[in-house]
Amino acid sequence: MDEIDWQPVLQAGGRVLGLDCQGRWVLGDGWGRVHSLDWLVPLLPMLELHYAEVERATAGVPADPPWEELLRLALTSGSDYWSARALDWLEGGHPVSALLGVLDEVGRTGATQRIRHRARRLWKDANQGLESSSAG
C-alpha cells in the first residue's frame, strides 16, 4: 500500500477525515492507515458531531466535504439512529435545499413517526422559504 501524504481536518468515532496533497478527501482509520474516500459509510460517525463544530473545522478547506452525499446516505439508510443524526445536522444549519427530494421521501417512508415528522417539518419550512423568496 502506498503512503498517502495528507492533512487531518476532523476526527470522530475513531476516524480522521482529512485532505491529501491533491485536495481529495481521505479517511484515517486510527491505526496509522489512510484510505481514499470511496465509500461513505465509515464517515457516518461524523454526524455525531454538532454541525456547527464540523462547519468551523472545515471552513476554508480547498475542497467541499461530501456532506450532502453523507446526509443522503444517512437519511435513506433505514436506520433510525443515522436518520436522526442527519436531521440534527439539517436542523443545526446545514443547507436543506439540495436534499428536499430526500426529505420528502423520508417524510413519507422514514423509519419512525418521529423521523417522518422531523423530515416533513424541515421540508415544509424549506419550501415556505423558497416560496417567500420567489414571491419577493
Side-chain angles (χ1 to χ4, degrees), residues 8 14 25 34 39 44-46 49 54 61 68 75 88 91 99 108 114 132:
W25 289 100
V34 179
W39 196 43
L44 285 169
M46 296 293 165
L49 300 172
V54 172
V61 296
E68 187 178 307
L75 288 167
D88 290 344
E91 291 167 347
L99 296 165
R108 290 181 280 107
R114 181 163 170 73
S132 62

Side-chain angles (χ1 to χ4, degrees), residues 15 18 24 30 38-41 52 54-55 81 98-99 102 111-112:
R15 308 288 180 156
R24 293 179 304 222
D38 300 325
W39 196 43
L40 292 175
V41 170
V54 172
E55 188 176 37
Y81 182 79
L99 296 165
V102 175
T112 65

Side-chain angles (χ1 to χ4, degrees), residues 73-122:
L73 171 67
L75 288 167
T76 60
S77 67
S79 163
D80 179 41
Y81 182 79
W82 293 122
S83 294
R85 299 299 68 80
L87 292 168
D88 290 344
W89 267 37
L90 294 170
E91 291 167 347
H94 187 281
V96 173
S97 58
L99 296 165
L100 288 176
V102 175
L103 285 172
D104 183 41
E105 177 185 337
V106 173
R108 290 181 280 107
T109 64
T112 65
Q113 182 177 17
R114 181 163 170 73
I115 294 295
R116 290 190 299 274
H117 285 188
R118 289 175 69 190
R120 262 185 253 149
R121 187 179 67 249
L122 280 163

